[in-house]
Amino acid sequence: MTTKTLTIGPKIQTALPGPNARRVLAGDEKFISPSYTRSYPMVAKRGRGIVVEDVDGNEFFDFSAGIAVTSTGHCHPEVVAAIQRQAAELIHMSGTDFYYESMVTLAERLSKIAPMPGPHKIYYGNSGAEAIECALKLSRYHTKRQHVIAFLGAFHGRTMGALSLTASKPQQKRRFSPLVPGVTHVRYPDVYRGCVGGQQDADAFALGCARYIEEKLFKTVLAPEEVAAIFVEPVQGEGGYVVAPTIFMQELRRICDTHGIMLVVDEVQSGIGRTGKWFAVEHTGVAPDMVCMAKGIASGMPLGVCMTKAEIMDWVPGSHASTFGGNPVCIAASLATLDVIEKEGLVRNAQEVGNHMLKRMADWPKKHRIVGDVRGRGLMIGVDIVKDQKTREYANADRDRVVEKAFERGVLFLGCGPSTVRIAPPLVVTKDEADIAVDVLEESISAAEANR
Ligand code: PLP
């Protein structure tokens, strides 16, 4: 693969899946857990920038970034070099029982970009779910309270604690109960669906979603002094790329301040530049108490981080730790990722290319009867596919068809929520590359529309 191919576009030269892909799929079916949620038979071999080549030599534009992970693009040379250098020096020592300098170096770096004033403290885990587990346990520990509030549509991970907060799809929870008790889910301000028919002003609706907590929950079933934390995604990811209005986030902050509750923002998907700011919560001006991050932080190496205001992380040795969390190689990848993001101006690029894409897609609800809504921030954009623009009924099968058709044309998107196409390319994507993907997506929408 050369850089030249990046500007030409996807190159599909076999039927999909190709012969080598079919061999891998057969092995996968035999050995691999069927719990994974593959949308189409893409068998990756190597990647560079926004291009992923499959095992049959087909080249795809990756507008999923391995589910919003490969922020600096696939195998950015500086990230690769940092991983190689670190692997030759020290692969593991366990920050739980020993010290190494890079744990501190990365913490200092993250503290500088934190969405709340410092000083800060940082916990290292291996995944988004582990960052959430930390926030869940810590919020209980610090406040000595048992209950937490989360939102319908939320996705916070699949470990038992994180899963208790998740409320995105029934199959994620079916047959796994009993989960961690003490979680109450309330409505997330999905303005597009909440204000169907335009009966209600969007801000009033969003404010109502937040006020329900204080005016209904706290006056009926949940004593506020027993609530440790409110967990919220400033942009719901798996739930459908739904943006929380500023007024909603501000009201959550007010409620938390009034009742001594921790405001935890889950930026596992939206953080580290994806939305055109380091953290999506910054678009709202709200300062959280804790922020969880993972996906984009190390360009594909496993690292989860829970960062809090320093005084909140007041637990004692042994109360929480993980053998591999903050592994030296992952930290080296993360430091290189942050360097590349800063040096190449990728946060600004996410904003600019994202705005360019949103502008190009803004009239789709007028042009395409199956497109209900186009929304997002930066390079976290959702295209909502509907059965009927008036009722805004979800069109899950049509959405899946759109995603499949784009795959056949060489662009990788994923679905999210009941009927949204998720657009989340690496932050290095150019406007030219974005134009190619937008064209392919529109063709795929037209094809799905014609098939209906
Ligand atoms: N939180 C959010 C917002 C996510 O999008 C995800 C994963 O998609 C998680 C938490 C869980 O992360 P992981 O899959 O790394 O455990």
Side-chain angles (χ1 to χ4, degrees), residues 127-129 132 155-157 233 238 266 268-269 295:
S127 64
I132 294 290
F155 187 83
H156 296 292
E233 294 162 90
E238 165 67 17
D266 181 345
V268 165
Q269 188 155 174
K295 286 178 181 283

